[in-house]
C-alpha cells in the first residue's frame, strides 16, 4: 500500500461522507468546507471554485499556479456616488470587472443568468480618474457592483463571488416579465447584507 494510494482513499472517503451529508466540499481536495469559506477564480474556465482553508493558503501568493487560479479577496468597500452613466451600460443593476488583459466587462443579472458587455476603455479610465480606488481593484477577482434601481445609489468594490451570488439570487427570485414582487426586495436585502459584512 503506497502513501499516495492511502491519501487518495482518504480524500475519496471524506468527499463521499460530505456528499452523503449534503455538505459543500473543497473543489481541490474534496474536504468539507464551512458555510463561510474562501473561493478561487479559475481564469481558464472563468468560474469560481470553493476551497477549504488549507487549500486557500496555497494560492495566497498571486503567482501560485502561474495565475490560472487566483484567490478571491474578501474586501468590501462602499464608495460614494459615481457617475457610471459614462460607461454606457443601460441597466441599473450591474457589475464591472477589470480583466488582466486591460479590458473591462460589464455584467448584468437577468432571469437567464448574466448578460455581458465590453466597456469602452477610455470611459473606464475617465471613471477611475474620479475614483482612484477603482484603479486598485484586482483584475478578474474584484468588481465594481452598482445598484441604481428604484432610486438606490449603491456603488461597491466587492469580491467577484459576491457578484455571482447576486446573479443567482436574481435568477432564483425573478417572476414574469418585470421580475415580480420578490426579486427587488431580495436585491435590497442583498445590499443590506453587504453593508453588514463590510
Amino acid at each position: 500500500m503506497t502513501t499516495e494510494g492511502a491519501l487518495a482513499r482518504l480524500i475519496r472517503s471524506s468527499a463521499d461522507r460530505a456528499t452523503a451529508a449534503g455538505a459543500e466540499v473543497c473543489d481541490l481536495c474534496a474536504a468539507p468546507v464551512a458555510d463561510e469559506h474562501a473561493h478561487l477564480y479559475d481564469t481558464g474556465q472563468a468560474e469560481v471554485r470553493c476551497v477549504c482553508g488549507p487549500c486557500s493558503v496555497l494560492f495566497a501568493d498571486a503567482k501560485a499556479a502561474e495565475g490560472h487560479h487566483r484567490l478571491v479577496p474578501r474586501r468590501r468597500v462602499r464608495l460614494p456616488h459615481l457617475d457610471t452613466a459614462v460607461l454606457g451600460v443601460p441597466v441599473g443593476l450591474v457589475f464591472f470587472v477589470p480583466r488582466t488583459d486591460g479590458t473591462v466587462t460589464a455584467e448584468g443579472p437577468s432571469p437567464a443568468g448574466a448578460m455581458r458587455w465590453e466597456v469602452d476603455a477610455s470611459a473606464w479610465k475617465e471613471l477611475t480618474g474620479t475614483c482612484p480606488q477603482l484603479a486598485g481593484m484586482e483584475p478578474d477577482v474584484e468588481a465594481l457592483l452598482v445598484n441604481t434601481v428604484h432610486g438606490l445609489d449603491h456603488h461597491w468594490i466587492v469580491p467577484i463571488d459576491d457578484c455571482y451570488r447576486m446573479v443567482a439570487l436574481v435568477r432564483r427570485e425573478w417572476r414574469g416579465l418585470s421580475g415580480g414582487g420578490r426579486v427587488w426586495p431580495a436585491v435590497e436585502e442583498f445590499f443590506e447584507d453587504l453593508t453588514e459584512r463590510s
Side-chain angles (χ1 to χ4, degrees):
M1 175 170 75
T2 66
T3 304
E4 184 178 324
L7 181 59
R9 280 193 300 282
L10 180 64
I11 289 172
R12 274 195 307 275
S13 171
S14 174
D16 291 344
R17 283 193 308 274
T19 302
E24 218 171 348
V25 297
C26 175
D27 287 327
L28 296 183
C29 74
V33 294
D35 288 342
E36 286 288 324
H37 57 269
H39 290 106
L40 287 180
Y41 181 74
D42 182 333
T43 58
Q45 299 296 316
E47 292 178 346
V48 171
R49 304 198 183 282
C50 299
V51 288
C52 64
C55 286
S56 71
V57 172
L58 298 173
F59 297 92
D61 182 347
K63 295 176 186 172
E66 298 177 349
H68 296 297
H69 290 93
R70 304 209 23 237
L71 189 62
V72 176
R74 295 189 178 220
R75 76 173 177 142
R76 294 171 180 90
V77 180
R78 182 143 190 197
L79 301 172
H81 171 77
L82 297 172
D83 183 12
T84 53
V86 300
L87 300 177
V89 176
V91 294
L93 182 59
V94 64
F95 58 96
F96 300 91
V97 185
R99 303 293 177 180
T100 50
D101 65 3
T103 62
V104 177
T105 58
E107 299 185 41
S110 78
M115 303 174 294
R116 180 183 268 199
W117 306 267
E118 189 163 320
V119 174
D120 179 69
S122 61
W124 180 256
K125 187 175 181 180
E126 180 183 337
L127 185 65
T128 58
T130 66
C131 182
Q133 290 167 297
L134 296 178
M137 289 169 52
E138 290 191 45
D140 295 323
V141 292
E142 287 189 309
L144 167 62
L145 177 59
V146 175
N147 182 10
T148 58
V149 176
H150 299 149
L152 296 175
D153 190 29
H154 290 281
H155 300 84
W156 289 81
I157 293 175
V158 296
I160 193 68
D161 52 356
D162 279 352
C163 299
Y164 292 151
R165 280 191 313 111
M166 194 251 315
V167 169
L169 178 143
V170 169
R171 192 170 186 180
R172 183 182 69 238
E173 300 295 342
W174 193 279
R175 300 292 182 273
L177 294 174
S178 63
R182 293 174 23 178
V183 69
W184 300 117
V187 167
E188 287 184 32
E189 188 176 319
F190 175 89
F191 279 88
E192 287 170 11
D193 183 54
L194 279 185
T195 302
E196 290 176 13
R197 297 173 71 175
S198 64

